[in-house]
């Protein structure tokens, strides 16, 4: 999540809250695509915030746009 991105900053507390609730079953990580442009390009991240869900190393779902904690949790659980 980029520090200059308003929606990213707005979503950060919900992201942290949901990460704490779903650990250790689901591992959450943040990536600043400005600092790591090659990784962002590799995963075809075109807008931020974008959440990408992986299972077994393969992408299984993607969601762009800021979300609240309940929405993040519901989205993750619906994909598992």
């Amino acid at each position: 999540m980029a520090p200059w991105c308003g929606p990213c900053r707005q979503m950060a507390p919900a992201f942290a809250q949901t990460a704490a609730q779903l650990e250790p079953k689901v591992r959450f990580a943040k990536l600043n695509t400005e600092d790591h442009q090659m990784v962002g390009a590799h995963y075809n991240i075109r807008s931020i915030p974008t959440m990408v869900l992986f299972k077994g190393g393969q992408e299984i779902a993607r969601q762009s746009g800021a979300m609240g904690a309940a929405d993040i949790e519901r989205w993750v659980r619906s994909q598992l």
Side-chain angles (χ1 to χ4, degrees):
M1 295 186 181
W4 54 264
C5 170
C8 298
R9 287 195 321 270
Q10 178 186 12
M11 185 175 150
F15 184 89
Q17 176 184 340
T18 308
Q21 289 174 338
L22 296 180
E23 286 274 354
K25 183 173 180 165
V26 179
R27 178 67 40 104
F28 283 67
K30 293 180 185 181
L31 173 72
N32 182 333
T33 56
E34 187 173 294
D35 291 344
H36 303 282
Q37 293 179 13
M38 300 268 305
V39 177
H42 175 79
Y43 289 107
N44 200 30
I45 297 172
R46 300 288 180 226
S47 64
I48 55 174
T50 293
M51 292 183 41
V52 181
L53 188 60
F54 294 90
K55 185 173 185 178
Q58 299 297 314
E59 180 177 334
I60 61 169
R62 177 179 292 243
Q63 177 72 39
S64 294
M67 299 166 58
D71 293 326
I72 296 169
E73 182 175 358
R74 187 173 20 261
W75 176 73
V76 170
R77 289 187 187 278
S78 75
Q79 303 301 323
L80 299 178

